[in-house]
Amino acid sequence: MSSMAKITHPRQQINGEILPQPCPHLAEFLSNNGSKPFRALQDCLRVKPPGGRASIRRDPKEVPRCGACGESARPRLYACITCAAVHCHVPSGPSHAAAHAFSMPPGHEIAVDVDRAELFCCACRDQVYDRDFDAAVVLAQTAASTLASSATSAVQQYAPENLRKRRRIDYKPWIPNLREQYLVGKNSSPLNGDVSDLPWGLRGLNNLGNTCFMNSVLQALLHTPPLRNYFLSDRHNRYFCQKKSNADNAAKKIAANTIDGGGNKSAARVCLACDMDATFSAVFSGERTPYSPAKFLYSWWQYAANLASYEQQDAHEFFISMLDGIHEKVDKDRRKPESQGNGDCCVAHRVFSGILRSDVMCMACGFTSTTYDPCVDISLDLEPNQGGSAKTGSTKSSHSCNGEADCMNSSQNCGVSTLMGCLDRFTRPERLGSDQKFFCQQCQVRQESLKQMSIRKLPLVSCFHIKRFEHSSVRKMSRKVDRYLQFPFSLDMAPYLSSSILRSRFGNRILPFDGDEHLCSDFELFAVVTHTGKLDAGHYVTYLRLSNQWYKCDDAWITLVNENIVRAAQGYMMFYVQKMLFYKASEKPGPA
Amino acid sequence: MRKSVNRPPTPDVAENQEKEPTLQELINIELIESGEKERLMELLRERLIECGWKDEMKALCRAFIKKKGRNNVTVDDLVHVMTPKGRASVPDSVKAELLQRIRTFLVSAAL
């Protein structure tokens, strides 16, 4: 597509998006006047507090009306950039704005929408875009929504130099040269794996007593490409791990089947990364008989003593807990404060950590406070229409009885609920109720506010957790939601990025916004953890995609399945990997 | 549009301003000056997003652009095609809520 565009027109690009070419009228206008008229317009930019939309008014109380017909209630009123005359415009009808453009000498074609502060060419009858103009509008909106002291980063750079091309990191398979071959041969013993054409590393995990929650997550993690490469390339070697000497004792105790009484003391010596390394070695050894991750389970028990039992656990809770475990270990080695979001602290966060952006806007003055929070997964609500808080909020009160009805409504609207629908909801502006007013720094009182989440930085691997277990505080009981959720095999995260969210808030502008450095927002599904059964008793099964084939990993049993079975499964956790990494499981030619 | 047809062929600007504004205009001005219009628009925006109307329109727009080809569509074309569909598919509940809000405003403004 981009090569096509290069041949036809030399177009502007932002982040790989091709920008529309200016129409001849705008181009001529700019060459005659430069961007000076836009600067004059800046004094007329008004930003109305709730919502923070920009409009054009010479005086804040002005009621703009069409110069030809005196109409003020028309939805589309345009002010001529050259002479400031306001005219109405009706598509395909009599347009006073177009009439104005033609009745005047050339140069009156470009006008600005008084309610949206967007440029319009009356001759082409189409919206037009200009970077300088957009920059001025965004600057005014930003100034209105932030305190003078903290007017920093809603729009960080809008300089034209910030044009970036989308880069792609190509994968080059490593082929050892002679010397490397010798070194590899000398220092390693080859695996005598079987010669089946099953993907490497596909091995069942024995259930050690209600441990399917662990097996399901482990299967996903064992086949998480960046994590797999990290461990298989010996980046964390359990024989050289600094904690090893301490952990040895604990390991011997497992062998002797004694349970360590001082749970907390030994927890300090546990290195989950070492156990992960051992599990990787075992699973990728070429052996196909099911493996018992007993050592791993024991270490995790020591790490998370409160969850150490043979009871059923929540797979998502386990996932979070074990990532924390891996993080904590490395954290002590070389502690880097505040580095989780950047993901340079440990492999767990390098792979899974992203940054969420949360904007809370005061409904009275429009002041926006922005916070960034690191996250290792995104928890999404399944309920399509659940009253006020459709987000991560745990206060779910009034849904129970009309939940089904709401579901029906929404399914009429958009067919079936989808992962994209959940993400739309996650990033949708949410009005915080009067009971959770937010302290506005500008008003210095608690005000009603609007909250919006977006994704500032995408992780390498996105884990989506669907909240299927919900607690109703009214009924004082929990239940599981068995509703089907459709999830795509290929997911574009661009609409949920902070840059896109901000862009829509500022209207149609052609500027790069916060966090536009994303190289790739295309993700590909590689693992789905599913849950069947009830809240207190059920079973976890993982579907893995390896070499464009889906495999069902049900504890010790692994079976080849059709992708339609995966699509129909009740997803609880979905793992997506960035396509940029070129671990395209789907692009390899699979066996028929 | 009807207004522009009915207006005298050569409107005298001074005379026009002296002329008594119609009730509709008065209401509109009051709505704007009090900021109620902006609030109503914000409420409408919110409701239309909530009920899925916006997504539906977006999908229709995308389909239209795809059909016509990306470079052959202007905003005017889109507005022209979408306006009747959009008006027709606003849920009655949303209309009712807005009407109620406007009524309440008119009573409180005692126009």
Side-chain angles (χ1 to χ4, degrees):
Chain A
M1 179 175 174
S2 58
S3 61
M4 285 270 291
K6 259 175 219 156
I7 297 162
T8 48
H9 325 272
R11 294 185 185 212
Q12 271 186 298
Q13 285 200 348
I14 290 183
N15 305 312
E17 280 177 52
I18 297 163
L19 300 178
Q21 263 195 323
C23 76
H25 309 100
L26 178 63
E28 197 188 325
F29 178 82
L30 290 174
S31 68
N32 289 342
N33 303 290
S35 56
K36 216 188 267 170
F38 295 152
R39 262 174 247 141
L41 259 180
Q42 206 161 346
D43 299 332
C44 306
L45 273 173
R46 311 281 166 213
V47 179
K48 284 168 229 160
R53 278 187 177 73
S55 58
I56 302 287
R57 298 284 187 277
R58 272 166 294 206
D59 146 71
K61 290 219 158 174
E62 184 188 359
V63 178
R65 48 178 73 245
C66 175
C69 59
E71 189 62 76
S72 63
R74 282 275 160 75
R76 294 173 74 188
L77 287 173
Y78 290 96
C80 174
I81 289 267
T82 305
C83 65
V86 176
H87 289 96
C88 67
H89 176 77
V90 183
S92 74
S95 163
H96 294 135
H100 170 78
F102 290 120
S103 66
M104 299 300 252
H108 288 250
E109 292 91 355
I110 306 300
V112 56
D113 186 321
V114 297
D115 283 324
R116 292 181 182 83
E118 290 171 3
L119 292 179
F120 187 78
C121 174
C122 300
C124 302
R125 293 184 161 227
D126 199 6
Q127 188 128 4
V128 288
Y129 301 88
D130 179 74
R131 289 184 65 87
D132 292 330
F133 175 78
D134 286 349
V137 175
V138 170
L139 198 67
Q141 282 176 284
T142 313
S145 68
T146 41
L147 284 174
S149 56
S150 65
T152 43
S153 67
V155 182
Q156 281 170 327
Q157 314 117 332
Y158 47 84
E161 302 87 74
N162 198 34
L163 294 169
R164 244 180 243 264
K165 275 193 176 171
R166 190 168 291 191
R167 268 181 292 163
R168 191 182 168 96
I169 299 169
D170 282 326
Y171 163 74
K172 290 195 191 85
W174 172 68
I175 298 154
N177 60 31
L178 277 177
R179 189 175 156 272
E180 285 166 338
Q181 272 177 7
Y182 169 74
L183 274 174
V184 169
K186 191 183 156 217
N187 295 303
S188 58
S189 48
L191 295 170
N192 49 352
D194 59 345
V195 283
S196 75
D197 48 1
L198 284 176
W200 205 246
L202 200 56
R203 190 175 180 184
L205 298 173
N206 283 318
N207 194 319
L208 308 171
N210 287 335
T211 59
C212 58
F213 70 91
M214 176 180 79
N215 289 349
S216 60
V217 171
L218 271 183
Q219 285 288 12
L221 293 180
L222 286 167
H223 296 281
T224 297
L227 208 57
R228 177 195 67 200
N229 291 6
Y230 177 88
F231 280 102
L232 292 186
S233 60
D234 217 19
R235 303 279 295 281
H236 185 106
N237 187 312
R238 61 190 180 283
Y239 300 109
F240 294 106
C241 178
Q242 292 173 352
K243 294 207 158 186
K244 185 60 189 169
S245 53
N246 294 331
D248 260 351
N249 293 333
K252 272 170 197 157
K253 279 180 188 157
I254 309 166
N257 228 353
T258 58
I259 290 180
D260 196 336
N264 281 336
K265 258 189 240 165
S266 60
R269 281 183 264 129
V270 172
C271 175
L272 278 180
C274 285
D275 292 301
M276 207 56 204
D277 186 42
T279 313
F280 266 104
S281 299
V283 166
F284 283 85
S285 66
E287 185 65 52
R288 297 290 183 188
T289 55
Y291 171 73
S292 294
K295 168 103 171 50
F296 187 92
L297 178 66
Y298 181 70
S299 298
W300 180 66
W301 277 356
Q302 286 176 301
Y303 171 71
N306 55 326
L307 300 172
S309 72
Y310 281 107
E311 283 167 26
Q312 300 196 0
Q313 302 288 348
D314 180 50
H316 176 246
E317 210 172 323
F318 168 76
F319 172 73
I320 297 294
S321 156
M322 75 157 290
L323 288 190
D324 278 352
I326 293 176
H327 168 74
E328 203 163 276
K329 187 261 144 202
V330 183
D331 205 19
K332 276 170 194 146
D333 288 358
R334 41 186 182 119
R335 197 178 282 275
K336 278 189 194 169
E338 307 287 318
S339 60
Q340 192 197 333
N342 301 327
D344 56 359
C345 55
C346 67
V347 64
H349 288 124
R350 200 176 305 147
V351 173
F352 288 102
S353 189
I355 300 176
L356 290 180
R357 171 181 171 136
S358 157
D359 291 311
V360 179
M361 182 194 288
C362 168
M363 294 298 286
C365 70
F367 173 75
T368 306
S369 108
T370 303
T371 49
Y372 296 101
D373 291 305
C375 63
V376 291
D377 66 344
I378 295 176
S379 287
L380 298 168
D381 271 320
L382 195 57
E383 304 294 290
N385 282 334
Q386 213 199 311
S389 76
K391 293 200 174 151
T392 48
S394 51
T395 50
K396 296 175 183 175
S397 44
S398 63
H399 81 278
S400 47
C401 53
N402 55 8
E404 296 306 317
D406 284 348
C407 156
M408 291 298 285
N409 286 340
S410 81
S411 58
Q412 278 170 355
N413 283 337
C414 49
V416 66
S417 62
T418 63
L419 183 63
M420 284 84 84
C422 291
L423 282 164
D424 281 341
R425 245 163 210 96
F426 180 70
T427 51
R428 184 162 289 178
E430 176 192 15
R431 201 180 280 260
L432 297 179
S434 49
D435 54 329
Q436 38 181 340
K437 282 186 182 174
F438 182 80
F439 183 81
C440 173
Q441 281 173 270
Q442 194 158 274
C443 306
Q444 292 291 315
V445 280
R446 292 190 169 273
Q447 295 280 17
E448 291 214 355
S449 41
L450 204 67
K451 183 183 175 186
Q452 187 167 31
M453 303 290 294
S454 55
I455 300 168
R456 166 67 206 269
K457 175 183 167 273
L458 286 166
L460 283 180
V461 176
S462 278
C463 171
F464 299 107
H465 161 233
I466 309 300
K467 293 188 187 167
R468 291 191 176 274
F469 303 107
E470 56 172 32
H471 184 73
S472 158
S473 53
V474 173
R475 289 169 150 197
K476 290 215 179 0
M477 58 178 285
S478 301
R479 64 163 192 156
K480 191 189 163 208
V481 188
D482 276 318
R483 196 171 314 128
Y484 174 66
L485 178 80
Q486 199 178 61
F487 48 90
F489 282 12
S490 200
L491 176 67
D492 182 10
M493 292 291 285
Y496 319 110
L497 296 177
S498 302
S499 47
S500 313
I501 300 289
L502 283 183
R503 182 164 290 131
S504 65
R505 190 181 303 160
F506 284 111
N508 300 314
R509 313 284 167 211
I510 52 165
L511 291 172
F513 285 105
D514 182 23
D516 254 351
E517 71 263 29
H518 297 288
L519 299 175
C520 178
S521 59
D522 288 330
F523 280 74
E524 181 178 57
L525 185 68
F526 69 92
V528 186
V529 175
T530 65
H531 184 265
T532 48
K534 296 210 179 71
L535 178 76
D536 48 345
H539 188 50
Y540 288 105
V541 166
T542 298
Y543 293 96
L544 285 177
R545 174 147 72 170
L546 298 167
S547 306
N548 206 22
Q549 283 290 339
W550 283 98
Y551 296 92
K552 179 184 178 187
C553 305
D554 181 354
D555 286 332
W557 296 276
I558 292 184
T559 41
L560 188 69
V561 292
N562 187 285
E563 67 169 47
N564 292 329
I565 291 178
V566 180
R567 287 189 201 277
Q570 191 188 90
Y572 179 56
M573 292 166 78
M574 284 77 146
F575 292 82
Y576 285 85
V577 64
Q578 274 194 19
K579 277 189 185 173
M580 172 190 74
L581 291 171
F582 205 84
Y583 295 118
K584 291 203 171 180
S586 60
E587 283 192 354
K588 283 182 196 164
Chain B
M1 213 186 295
R2 200 184 307 133
K3 278 224 176 59
S4 69
V5 174
N6 287 344
R7 82 188 150 84
T10 49
D12 189 328
V13 176
E15 198 183 66
N16 221 15
Q17 275 174 355
E18 278 165 31
K19 220 169 63 179
E20 191 84 343
T22 64
L23 181 65
Q24 207 176 345
E25 273 178 330
L26 274 176
I27 292 172
N28 186 43
I29 290 167
E30 183 65 28
L31 279 170
I32 293 172
E33 285 178 347
S34 64
E36 180 69 6
K37 189 165 182 179
E38 192 61 31
R39 283 192 290 277
L40 285 172
M41 275 167 35
E42 204 54 46
L43 177 77
L44 179 62
R45 244 177 228 127
E46 209 171 285
R47 291 290 179 268
L48 290 178
I49 290 172
E50 277 170 13
C51 70
W53 181 89
K54 190 183 166 187
D55 290 339
E56 197 185 320
M57 291 304 113
K58 206 172 180 176
L60 284 174
C61 285
R62 276 181 190 283
F64 179 74
I65 294 168
K66 215 170 210 172
K67 201 177 83 188
K68 295 269 284 185
R70 186 191 152 136
N71 293 320
N72 307 324
V73 179
T74 65
V75 172
D76 266 19
D77 295 341
L78 270 181
V79 173
H80 182 59
V81 172
M82 296 306 298
T83 305
K85 292 178 186 168
R87 280 189 200 281
S89 57
V90 174
D92 287 342
S93 60
V94 175
K95 290 185 194 164
E97 186 183 359
L98 252 88
L99 190 62
Q100 186 54 42
R101 277 282 296 259
I102 295 170
R103 282 217 176 99
T104 316
F105 171 77
L106 290 182
V107 170
S108 69
L111 269 166

